[in-house]
Amino acid sequence: MDKVNSIRLDRAVSQVTDLSRVAVKRAAKQGRITVNHIAITNSATKVLNTDYLCLDGRPLQEAGPRYFILNKPPGYICATKDSNQSSVLDLLEETNKRKLHIAGRLDIDTTGLVLITDDGQWSHRVTSPRYQCEKIYHAQLASAIDSHGVAKFAQGIWLKNDNKRTHPAKLEILLDNAVRITITEGRYHQVKRMFAAIGNRVVKLHRERVGEIILEESLPEGEYRPLTAAEVASVNKP
């Protein structure tokens, strides 16, 4: 049997909405909050986790784990908050966004697949090199690349200021200066630094896949959708 706990009304409502506790207090005084179908105007009232809470007639409940895929445009940072730059979280029309975080960040000028969740264990499996979750990118380079570059990527690259090689990476040449890269890590600016280490430069970078999750062409830039149950489960495969 689940343990029954009590909590202040203002805290209970603020935890499952974007409202501050001051805003919850104001809403309660206005009669907008009901507990078990009864309006409660005192926000300090203790409620149980088994109580039925509504705001403006809409039921409130703790959201289960949320998982989204977003097609990131350039010019957005992968951070929860920044006073000077727009965050990818600004593109989401979701409540309680402060509980969400990015599972595997992209640079401000890199585009493509971004995963967003409030499930910390799930995102750890995406980002930790221990789980070998592949991240696949398409890159335009400043200069043509040949088979020697492919071999260097396969061996692992020594990055400036790092004390060990990158994990072996797969580099596919699509055109002279267009490539597809598969890595299983997520070091700071990793793909760009790998090409810099072999005397080249990334002009444009786009992430198209993480594990078995693919960014489909039908998802417009700047738009997002919930992951399917199969996509969520694919990350947890042994």
Side-chain angles (χ1 to χ4, degrees), residues 23-119:
V24 174
K25 182 177 181 179
R26 187 181 306 117
K29 285 184 175 181
Q30 294 170 345
R32 296 167 55 199
I33 299 174
T34 61
V35 179
N36 300 325
H37 307 289
I38 299 172
I40 302 296
T41 57
N42 182 0
S43 63
T45 300
K46 290 293 185 72
V47 296
L48 304 177
N49 57 4
T50 54
D51 286 334
Y52 181 69
L53 276 62
C54 290
L55 172 65
D56 296 329
R58 296 190 299 273
L60 297 178
Q61 59 184 12
E62 183 70 34
R66 294 175 288 174
Y67 310 90
F68 304 104
I69 178 175
L70 180 140
N71 187 354
K72 178 187 174 298
Y76 285 80
I77 62 169
C78 286
T80 54
K81 186 177 181 180
D82 189 283
S83 58
N84 300 314
Q85 302 286 349
S86 296
S87 165
V88 293
L89 294 181
D90 296 330
L91 297 170
L92 272 59
E93 296 181 0
E94 301 293 327
T95 60
N96 222 8
K97 288 193 289 186
R98 66 183 183 275
K99 290 191 174 183
L100 295 169
H101 63 271
I102 297 96
R105 299 183 176 189
L106 294 180
D107 300 338
I108 190 169
D109 58 344
T110 301
T111 60
L113 191 159
V114 169
L115 297 175
I116 300 171
T117 184
D118 50 13
D119 184 339

Side-chain angles (χ1 to χ4, degrees), residues 3 27 30 38 45 70 72-73 89 99 103 114 123 127 135 146 152 201 208-211 229 238:
K3 184 178 180 180
Q30 294 170 345
I38 299 172
T45 300
L70 180 140
K72 178 187 174 298
L89 294 181
K99 290 191 174 183
V114 169
S123 63
T127 58
K135 291 85 177 174
D146 57 23
K152 289 180 179 179
R201 180 172 60 87
E208 54 191 29
R209 182 169 181 165
V210 172

